[in-house]
Short mmCIF file of all heavy atoms in Angstrom, two decimals:
data_model
loop_
_atom_site.label_atom_id
_atom_site.label_comp_id
_atom_site.label_asym_id
_atom_site.label_seq_id
_atom_site.Cartn_x
_atom_site.Cartn_y
_atom_site.Cartn_z
N ARG S 685 3.90 11.39 0.10
CA ARG S 685 4.73 10.97 -1.02
C ARG S 685 3.86 10.39 -2.14
O ARG S 685 2.93 9.63 -1.88
CB ARG S 685 5.73 9.92 -0.57
CG ARG S 685 6.70 9.54 -1.67
CD ARG S 685 7.88 8.79 -1.15
NE ARG S 685 8.68 8.35 -2.28
CZ ARG S 685 9.54 7.35 -2.24
NH1 ARG S 685 9.72 6.71 -1.12
NH2 ARG S 685 10.20 7.01 -3.29
N PHE S 686 4.19 10.74 -3.38
CA PHE S 686 3.55 10.18 -4.56
C PHE S 686 4.48 9.11 -5.11
O PHE S 686 5.64 9.38 -5.42
CB PHE S 686 3.31 11.28 -5.60
CG PHE S 686 2.70 10.77 -6.87
CD1 PHE S 686 1.36 10.41 -6.91
CD2 PHE S 686 3.46 10.65 -8.02
CE1 PHE S 686 0.80 9.93 -8.08
CE2 PHE S 686 2.91 10.17 -9.19
CZ PHE S 686 1.57 9.82 -9.22
N HIS S 687 3.99 7.87 -5.21
CA HIS S 687 4.80 6.74 -5.68
C HIS S 687 4.35 6.34 -7.07
O HIS S 687 3.16 6.19 -7.32
CB HIS S 687 4.60 5.52 -4.76
CG HIS S 687 5.03 5.73 -3.35
ND1 HIS S 687 6.28 5.38 -2.89
CD2 HIS S 687 4.36 6.24 -2.29
CE1 HIS S 687 6.36 5.67 -1.61
NE2 HIS S 687 5.21 6.19 -1.22
N GLN S 688 5.31 6.12 -7.96
CA GLN S 688 5.00 5.66 -9.31
C GLN S 688 5.44 4.22 -9.54
O GLN S 688 5.24 3.70 -10.63
CB GLN S 688 5.62 6.59 -10.34
CG GLN S 688 4.98 7.97 -10.29
CD GLN S 688 5.52 8.88 -11.36
OE1 GLN S 688 6.71 9.15 -11.42
NE2 GLN S 688 4.63 9.36 -12.22
N LYS S 689 6.01 3.61 -8.53
CA LYS S 689 6.37 2.20 -8.61
C LYS S 689 6.47 1.67 -7.18
O LYS S 689 6.53 2.43 -6.21
CB LYS S 689 7.68 1.98 -9.36
CG LYS S 689 8.89 2.58 -8.69
CD LYS S 689 10.14 2.31 -9.49
CE LYS S 689 11.34 2.86 -8.72
NZ LYS S 689 12.59 2.40 -9.28
N ILE S 690 6.49 0.36 -7.07
CA ILE S 690 6.59 -0.30 -5.76
C ILE S 690 7.95 -0.98 -5.68
O ILE S 690 8.30 -1.79 -6.55
CB ILE S 690 5.45 -1.31 -5.57
CG1 ILE S 690 4.10 -0.56 -5.54
CG2 ILE S 690 5.64 -2.11 -4.29
CD1 ILE S 690 2.88 -1.46 -5.51
N ASP S 691 8.70 -0.67 -4.65
CA ASP S 691 10.00 -1.28 -4.41
C ASP S 691 9.79 -2.52 -3.54
O ASP S 691 9.63 -2.42 -2.33
CB ASP S 691 10.93 -0.29 -3.72
CG ASP S 691 12.31 -0.84 -3.42
OD1 ASP S 691 12.57 -2.02 -3.75
OD2 ASP S 691 13.12 -0.11 -2.83
N ALA S 692 9.77 -3.69 -4.16
CA ALA S 692 9.49 -4.95 -3.45
C ALA S 692 10.52 -5.25 -2.37
O ALA S 692 10.23 -6.00 -1.42
CB ALA S 692 9.42 -6.10 -4.45
N SER S 693 11.71 -4.66 -2.45
CA SER S 693 12.77 -4.97 -1.47
C SER S 693 12.50 -4.42 -0.07
O SER S 693 13.17 -4.79 0.87
CB SER S 693 14.12 -4.45 -1.98
OG SER S 693 14.16 -3.03 -1.93
N ILE S 694 11.51 -3.50 0.08
CA ILE S 694 11.22 -2.93 1.40
C ILE S 694 10.01 -3.58 2.07
O ILE S 694 9.54 -3.10 3.10
CB ILE S 694 11.03 -1.40 1.32
CG1 ILE S 694 9.83 -1.03 0.47
CG2 ILE S 694 12.30 -0.73 0.81
CD1 ILE S 694 9.44 0.44 0.55
N TYR S 695 9.53 -4.69 1.50
CA TYR S 695 8.37 -5.39 2.06
C TYR S 695 8.73 -6.83 2.37
O TYR S 695 9.58 -7.39 1.71
CB TYR S 695 7.19 -5.34 1.08
CG TYR S 695 6.71 -3.94 0.84
CD1 TYR S 695 7.04 -3.26 -0.32
CD2 TYR S 695 5.97 -3.29 1.80
CE1 TYR S 695 6.62 -1.97 -0.54
CE2 TYR S 695 5.54 -1.98 1.59
CZ TYR S 695 5.86 -1.33 0.42
OH TYR S 695 5.46 -0.05 0.23
N PRO S 696 8.03 -7.43 3.33
CA PRO S 696 6.98 -6.88 4.18
C PRO S 696 7.55 -5.86 5.17
O PRO S 696 8.73 -5.88 5.49
CB PRO S 696 6.41 -8.09 4.92
CG PRO S 696 7.52 -9.08 4.94
CD PRO S 696 8.32 -8.83 3.69
N GLN S 697 6.66 -4.97 5.63
CA GLN S 697 7.09 -3.95 6.59
C GLN S 697 6.03 -3.75 7.66
O GLN S 697 4.88 -4.14 7.51
CB GLN S 697 7.46 -2.63 5.91
CG GLN S 697 6.33 -1.89 5.29
CD GLN S 697 6.76 -0.54 4.71
OE1 GLN S 697 6.06 0.42 4.91
NE2 GLN S 697 7.86 -0.47 3.98
N VAL S 698 6.48 -3.11 8.73
CA VAL S 698 5.62 -2.75 9.85
C VAL S 698 6.12 -1.42 10.37
O VAL S 698 7.31 -1.12 10.27
CB VAL S 698 5.65 -3.84 10.95
CG1 VAL S 698 7.02 -4.00 11.56
CG2 VAL S 698 4.60 -3.58 12.02
N HIS S 699 5.22 -0.57 10.88
CA HIS S 699 5.67 0.70 11.44
C HIS S 699 4.84 1.12 12.64
O HIS S 699 3.84 0.49 12.96
CB HIS S 699 5.73 1.81 10.39
CG HIS S 699 4.69 1.78 9.32
ND1 HIS S 699 3.37 2.09 9.52
CD2 HIS S 699 4.81 1.47 8.01
CE1 HIS S 699 2.72 1.98 8.39
NE2 HIS S 699 3.56 1.61 7.45
N ASP S 700 5.31 2.18 13.30
CA ASP S 700 4.70 2.64 14.55
C ASP S 700 3.80 3.86 14.34
O ASP S 700 3.60 4.64 15.24
CB ASP S 700 5.79 2.93 15.60
CG ASP S 700 6.77 4.03 15.18
OD1 ASP S 700 6.68 4.52 14.03
OD2 ASP S 700 7.62 4.39 16.01
N PHE S 701 3.27 4.02 13.14
CA PHE S 701 2.38 5.16 12.82
C PHE S 701 1.30 4.68 11.85
O PHE S 701 1.43 3.63 11.22
CB PHE S 701 3.17 6.32 12.21
CG PHE S 701 4.04 5.94 11.04
CD1 PHE S 701 3.54 5.96 9.74
CD2 PHE S 701 5.36 5.55 11.22
CE1 PHE S 701 4.33 5.60 8.65
CE2 PHE S 701 6.17 5.20 10.15
CZ PHE S 701 5.65 5.22 8.87
N TYR S 702 0.23 5.46 11.75
CA TYR S 702 -0.83 5.17 10.79
C TYR S 702 -0.37 5.57 9.39
O TYR S 702 0.39 6.51 9.22
CB TYR S 702 -2.10 5.96 11.13
CG TYR S 702 -2.85 5.42 12.31
CD1 TYR S 702 -2.61 5.92 13.59
CD2 TYR S 702 -3.79 4.41 12.16
CE1 TYR S 702 -3.29 5.42 14.68
CE2 TYR S 702 -4.48 3.91 13.25
CZ TYR S 702 -4.22 4.42 14.52
OH TYR S 702 -4.90 3.92 15.59
N GLU S 703 -0.87 4.85 8.40
CA GLU S 703 -0.59 5.16 7.00
C GLU S 703 -1.91 5.14 6.23
O GLU S 703 -2.69 4.19 6.35
CB GLU S 703 0.36 4.13 6.41
CG GLU S 703 0.67 4.33 4.95
CD GLU S 703 1.63 3.28 4.42
OE1 GLU S 703 2.25 2.54 5.19
OE2 GLU S 703 1.75 3.22 3.18
N ILE S 704 -2.16 6.19 5.49
CA ILE S 704 -3.33 6.25 4.62
C ILE S 704 -2.81 6.24 3.19
O ILE S 704 -1.92 7.02 2.85
CB ILE S 704 -4.17 7.52 4.87
CG1 ILE S 704 -4.67 7.52 6.30
CG2 ILE S 704 -5.32 7.60 3.87
CD1 ILE S 704 -5.33 8.83 6.71
N MET S 705 -3.36 5.35 2.37
CA MET S 705 -2.87 5.19 1.01
C MET S 705 -4.04 5.29 0.04
O MET S 705 -5.09 4.70 0.27
CB MET S 705 -2.21 3.82 0.88
CG MET S 705 -1.57 3.60 -0.45
SD MET S 705 -1.21 1.87 -0.70
CE MET S 705 -2.84 1.22 -0.89
N LEU S 706 -3.85 6.03 -1.04
CA LEU S 706 -4.85 6.18 -2.09
C LEU S 706 -4.27 5.69 -3.41
O LEU S 706 -3.23 6.18 -3.86
CB LEU S 706 -5.26 7.66 -2.23
CG LEU S 706 -6.21 8.00 -3.37
CD1 LEU S 706 -7.57 7.33 -3.18
CD2 LEU S 706 -6.37 9.51 -3.48
N THR S 707 -4.92 4.69 -4.01
CA THR S 707 -4.48 4.19 -5.31
C THR S 707 -4.94 5.17 -6.39
O THR S 707 -6.11 5.50 -6.47
CB THR S 707 -5.07 2.79 -5.59
OG1 THR S 707 -4.76 1.93 -4.50
CG2 THR S 707 -4.51 2.20 -6.87
N ILE S 708 -4.01 5.66 -7.19
CA ILE S 708 -4.30 6.65 -8.22
C ILE S 708 -4.50 6.01 -9.59
O ILE S 708 -5.45 6.32 -10.30
CB ILE S 708 -3.15 7.70 -8.32
CG1 ILE S 708 -2.97 8.42 -6.99
CG2 ILE S 708 -3.39 8.68 -9.45
CD1 ILE S 708 -4.17 9.24 -6.56
N GLU S 709 -3.60 5.11 -9.95
CA GLU S 709 -3.61 4.52 -11.29
C GLU S 709 -3.22 3.05 -11.20
O GLU S 709 -2.37 2.67 -10.38
CB GLU S 709 -2.60 5.27 -12.18
CG GLU S 709 -2.48 4.73 -13.57
CD GLU S 709 -1.39 5.44 -14.37
OE1 GLU S 709 -0.52 6.09 -13.78
OE2 GLU S 709 -1.46 5.33 -15.60
N GLY S 710 -3.82 2.23 -12.02
CA GLY S 710 -3.47 0.82 -12.07
C GLY S 710 -4.07 0.04 -10.91
O GLY S 710 -4.97 0.52 -10.22
N THR S 711 -3.56 -1.15 -10.72
CA THR S 711 -4.07 -2.05 -9.70
C THR S 711 -2.89 -2.58 -8.89
O THR S 711 -1.82 -2.80 -9.43
CB THR S 711 -4.83 -3.22 -10.36
OG1 THR S 711 -5.84 -2.68 -11.20
CG2 THR S 711 -5.47 -4.12 -9.33
N MET S 712 -3.12 -2.79 -7.59
CA MET S 712 -2.09 -3.39 -6.75
C MET S 712 -2.72 -4.44 -5.86
O MET S 712 -3.91 -4.39 -5.56
CB MET S 712 -1.34 -2.35 -5.92
CG MET S 712 -2.03 -1.88 -4.68
SD MET S 712 -0.96 -0.93 -3.58
CE MET S 712 -0.74 0.56 -4.50
N GLU S 713 -1.88 -5.38 -5.47
CA GLU S 713 -2.29 -6.37 -4.48
C GLU S 713 -1.68 -5.95 -3.15
O GLU S 713 -0.48 -5.72 -3.07
CB GLU S 713 -1.79 -7.75 -4.88
CG GLU S 713 -2.23 -8.83 -3.91
CD GLU S 713 -1.74 -10.19 -4.35
OE1 GLU S 713 -2.44 -10.84 -5.15
OE2 GLU S 713 -0.63 -10.56 -3.91
N MET S 714 -2.51 -5.82 -2.15
CA MET S 714 -2.07 -5.42 -0.82
C MET S 714 -2.28 -6.62 0.10
O MET S 714 -3.37 -7.21 0.11
CB MET S 714 -2.92 -4.24 -0.36
CG MET S 714 -2.50 -3.65 0.93
SD MET S 714 -1.05 -2.62 0.61
CE MET S 714 -0.84 -1.89 2.18
N GLU S 715 -1.24 -7.00 0.82
CA GLU S 715 -1.39 -8.05 1.82
C GLU S 715 -1.26 -7.39 3.18
O GLU S 715 -0.27 -6.72 3.48
CB GLU S 715 -0.33 -9.14 1.65
CG GLU S 715 -0.55 -10.28 2.62
CD GLU S 715 0.33 -11.48 2.35
OE1 GLU S 715 0.84 -11.64 1.23
OE2 GLU S 715 0.52 -12.27 3.29
N LEU S 716 -2.28 -7.56 4.02
CA LEU S 716 -2.32 -6.95 5.34
C LEU S 716 -2.59 -8.04 6.37
O LEU S 716 -3.65 -8.68 6.34
CB LEU S 716 -3.42 -5.88 5.39
CG LEU S 716 -3.56 -5.12 6.70
CD1 LEU S 716 -2.38 -4.16 6.88
CD2 LEU S 716 -4.86 -4.37 6.74
N ASN S 717 -1.59 -8.27 7.23
CA ASN S 717 -1.71 -9.29 8.27
C ASN S 717 -2.16 -10.64 7.70
O ASN S 717 -3.00 -11.33 8.27
CB ASN S 717 -2.65 -8.83 9.38
CG ASN S 717 -2.16 -7.57 10.06
OD1 ASN S 717 -0.96 -7.40 10.26
ND2 ASN S 717 -3.06 -6.68 10.39
N GLY S 718 -1.59 -11.00 6.54
CA GLY S 718 -1.85 -12.30 5.93
C GLY S 718 -3.07 -12.36 5.03
O GLY S 718 -3.32 -13.38 4.39
N GLU S 719 -3.85 -11.28 4.94
CA GLU S 719 -5.04 -11.25 4.09
C GLU S 719 -4.78 -10.39 2.86
O GLU S 719 -4.35 -9.24 2.98
CB GLU S 719 -6.22 -10.69 4.87
CG GLU S 719 -7.54 -10.79 4.14
CD GLU S 719 -8.71 -10.32 4.99
OE1 GLU S 719 -8.65 -10.42 6.23
OE2 GLU S 719 -9.68 -9.84 4.39
N LYS S 720 -5.06 -10.94 1.66
CA LYS S 720 -4.80 -10.21 0.42
C LYS S 720 -6.04 -9.47 -0.06
O LYS S 720 -7.15 -9.99 0.00
CB LYS S 720 -4.33 -11.17 -0.67
CG LYS S 720 -2.95 -11.74 -0.38
CD LYS S 720 -2.48 -12.63 -1.48
CE LYS S 720 -1.10 -13.19 -1.12
NZ LYS S 720 -0.59 -14.08 -2.16
N LYS S 721 -5.82 -8.24 -0.55
CA LYS S 721 -6.86 -7.40 -1.13
C LYS S 721 -6.35 -6.87 -2.47
O LYS S 721 -5.17 -6.54 -2.58
CB LYS S 721 -7.18 -6.20 -0.23
CG LYS S 721 -7.61 -6.53 1.16
CD LYS S 721 -9.05 -6.93 1.18
CE LYS S 721 -9.49 -7.15 2.63
NZ LYS S 721 -10.80 -7.69 2.72
N THR S 722 -7.23 -6.75 -3.44
CA THR S 722 -6.89 -6.12 -4.71
C THR S 722 -7.44 -4.71 -4.70
O THR S 722 -8.63 -4.51 -4.45
CB THR S 722 -7.46 -6.92 -5.89
OG1 THR S 722 -6.94 -8.25 -5.84
CG2 THR S 722 -7.08 -6.29 -7.21
N LEU S 723 -6.57 -3.73 -4.93
CA LEU S 723 -6.95 -2.32 -4.89
C LEU S 723 -6.87 -1.72 -6.29
O LEU S 723 -5.84 -1.81 -6.95
CB LEU S 723 -6.03 -1.55 -3.95
CG LEU S 723 -5.90 -2.10 -2.53
CD1 LEU S 723 -4.90 -1.28 -1.74
CD2 LEU S 723 -7.25 -2.13 -1.83
N SER S 724 -7.96 -1.11 -6.73
CA SER S 724 -8.01 -0.46 -8.03
C SER S 724 -8.04 1.06 -7.83
O SER S 724 -8.13 1.53 -6.69
CB SER S 724 -9.22 -0.95 -8.82
OG SER S 724 -10.38 -0.88 -8.05
N PRO S 725 -7.95 1.85 -8.89
CA PRO S 725 -7.93 3.31 -8.74
C PRO S 725 -9.11 3.82 -7.91
O PRO S 725 -10.24 3.37 -8.07
CB PRO S 725 -8.02 3.80 -10.19
CG PRO S 725 -7.40 2.71 -10.98
CD PRO S 725 -7.83 1.44 -10.29
N GLY S 726 -8.79 4.72 -6.98
CA GLY S 726 -9.79 5.28 -6.09
C GLY S 726 -9.88 4.58 -4.75
O GLY S 726 -10.53 5.07 -3.83
N ALA S 727 -9.22 3.44 -4.61
CA ALA S 727 -9.26 2.71 -3.34
C ALA S 727 -8.45 3.46 -2.29
O ALA S 727 -7.32 3.89 -2.53
CB ALA S 727 -8.70 1.30 -3.51
N LEU S 728 -9.05 3.64 -1.14
CA LEU S 728 -8.41 4.29 0.01
C LEU S 728 -8.20 3.22 1.06
O LEU S 728 -9.12 2.47 1.39
CB LEU S 728 -9.31 5.41 0.54
CG LEU S 728 -8.77 6.30 1.63
CD1 LEU S 728 -7.57 7.11 1.11
CD2 LEU S 728 -9.85 7.25 2.12
N PHE S 729 -6.99 3.14 1.61
CA PHE S 729 -6.62 2.03 2.49
C PHE S 729 -5.95 2.58 3.73
O PHE S 729 -5.08 3.45 3.63
CB PHE S 729 -5.67 1.10 1.72
CG PHE S 729 -5.63 -0.30 2.22
CD1 PHE S 729 -6.65 -1.19 1.91
CD2 PHE S 729 -4.58 -0.74 3.00
CE1 PHE S 729 -6.61 -2.50 2.36
CE2 PHE S 729 -4.52 -2.04 3.46
CZ PHE S 729 -5.55 -2.93 3.14
N LEU S 730 -6.34 2.09 4.90
CA LEU S 730 -5.74 2.51 6.18
C LEU S 730 -4.92 1.37 6.74
O LEU S 730 -5.39 0.23 6.85
CB LEU S 730 -6.83 2.89 7.18
CG LEU S 730 -6.34 3.21 8.59
CD1 LEU S 730 -5.50 4.49 8.60
CD2 LEU S 730 -7.52 3.34 9.55
#
């Protein structure tokens, strides 16, 4: 799926599968197990 916005109402979330995410444009803050990371374009996250 290609996302052009983040729906804050579906977070925090957890799932039973791996997810690979690639930041295409802009910057996002990702919180993973209580640790925050800033992701800029080109960031690949597992």
Side-chain angles (χ1 to χ4, degrees):
R685 185 166 174 201
F686 178 74
H687 298 266
Q688 294 184 301
K689 65 179 184 168
I690 296 174
D691 179 0
S693 71
I694 63 170
Y695 296 103
Q697 68 177 224
V698 63
H699 35 72
D700 61 355
F701 52 89
Y702 285 93
E703 177 180 347
I704 299 171
M705 185 195 70
L706 175 64
T707 307
I708 300 297
E709 178 184 18
T711 305
M712 81 168 70
E713 182 179 273
M714 186 78 174
E715 185 171 339
L716 182 72
N717 299 323
E719 188 175 332
K720 291 182 181 180
K721 302 281 185 187
T722 301
L723 306 177
S724 50
L728 186 64
F729 204 77
L730 174 67

